[in-house]
Amino acid sequence: GAGVSQSPSNKVTEKGKDVELRCDPISGHTALYWYRQRLGQGLEFLIYFQGNSAPDKSGLPSDRFSAERTGESVSTLTIQRTQQEDSAVYLCASSLVASGTNEQFFGPGTRLTVL
Amino acid sequence: QKEVEQDPGPLSVPEGAIVSLNCTYSNSAFQYFMWYRQYSRKGPELLMYTYSSGNKEDGRFTAQVDKSSKYISLFIRDSQPSDSATYLCAMSPYNFNKFYFGSGTKLNVKP
């Protein structure tokens, strides 16, 4: 079946603009994660959604960042008033928590460049 | 101090060599330990998964966890050029609400 998809694949924006990144998880996966990966760095946890529970937003770096998820479907990550330090690849992953291994399946990422 | 430390490399080895990749961590609450492989411009993919201390083998890959030393390893036997990628360790407490990743080690296996 289809894997995790993300759009757009690339986004170039000007400093100060808002951007919205989209993630389509694997159907039936109850958990969804957003990460940020700066060039040459590991993954930095941003936010976690699990079913209808309140999301864990502890990784969001500032109040310019927000994310939403409707039920167990699409999620959007919004960055307001973008800054150059927001330039990174934003990765989304979904998992079926009940699987035991809780393997996360990653999308290909959205490469964000803030000029 | 970062929760997870990983040597970024790069690590360059000849084809057929045994590769050892390592991570250390500071949080004793971590229960689940994973290794991901990431090819350039792709999302990470899960390679190995272990729970608590011990060894796990899957083909040419062996994962080791030493919780007493807060140290995990991934060994790759008979390395192949197709193994060239960045390897990320990751760990999680029991409730999976958050995963902590190392910075990744870039591996290059030369033909």
Side-chain angles (χ1 to χ4, degrees), chain A residues 44-57:
Chain A
E44 177 186 358
F45 166 81
L46 295 177
I47 189 168
Y48 162 68
F49 295 91
Q50 169 53 40
N52 294 319
S53 302
D56 180 344
K57 303 180 181 180

Side-chain angles (χ1 to χ4, degrees), chain B residues 10-50:
Chain B
L11 184 61
S12 187
V13 301
E15 183 175 354
I18 296 174
V19 175
S20 172
L21 305 167
N22 311 291
C23 288
T24 59
Y25 64 96
S26 56
N27 190 340
S28 58
F30 291 148
Q31 299 286 338
Y32 297 91
F33 304 90
M34 291 138 281
W35 285 95
Y36 284 83
R37 178 173 61 195
Q38 186 176 25
Y39 292 112
S40 181
R41 294 184 173 262
K42 301 283 188 183
E45 55 180 348
L46 183 67
L47 264 183
M48 297 284 287
Y49 164 97
T50 52

Side-chain angles (χ1 to χ4, degrees), chain A residues 79-94:
Chain A
I79 308 173
Q80 295 178 312
R81 305 181 302 281
T82 52
Q83 304 295 311
Q84 288 182 332
E85 64 260 28
D86 299 334
S87 296
V89 175
Y90 290 82
L91 289 158
C92 171
S94 71

Side-chain angles (χ1 to χ4, degrees), chain B residues 33-101:
Chain B
F33 304 90
M34 291 138 281
W35 285 95
Y36 284 83
R37 178 173 61 195
Q38 186 176 25
Y39 292 112
S40 181
R41 294 184 173 262
K42 301 283 188 183
E45 55 180 348
L46 183 67
L47 264 183
M48 297 284 287
Y49 164 97
T50 52
Y51 171 69
S52 196
S53 285
N55 292 1
K56 185 174 183 178
E57 189 173 318
D58 184 1
R60 298 185 294 112
F61 298 89
T62 299
Q64 286 186 351
V65 175
D66 182 348
K67 290 189 72 179
S68 62
S69 302
K70 296 189 176 67
Y71 186 88
I72 70 170
S73 300
L74 177 71
F75 297 96
I76 307 174
R77 290 184 298 280
D78 187 25
S79 56
Q80 302 295 309
S82 58
D83 296 328
S84 298
T86 296
Y87 291 79
L88 298 144
C89 63
M91 37 203 87
S92 170
Y94 74 96
N95 57 0
F96 297 117
N97 66 329
K98 191 181 290 187
F99 286 76
Y100 297 82
F101 282 79

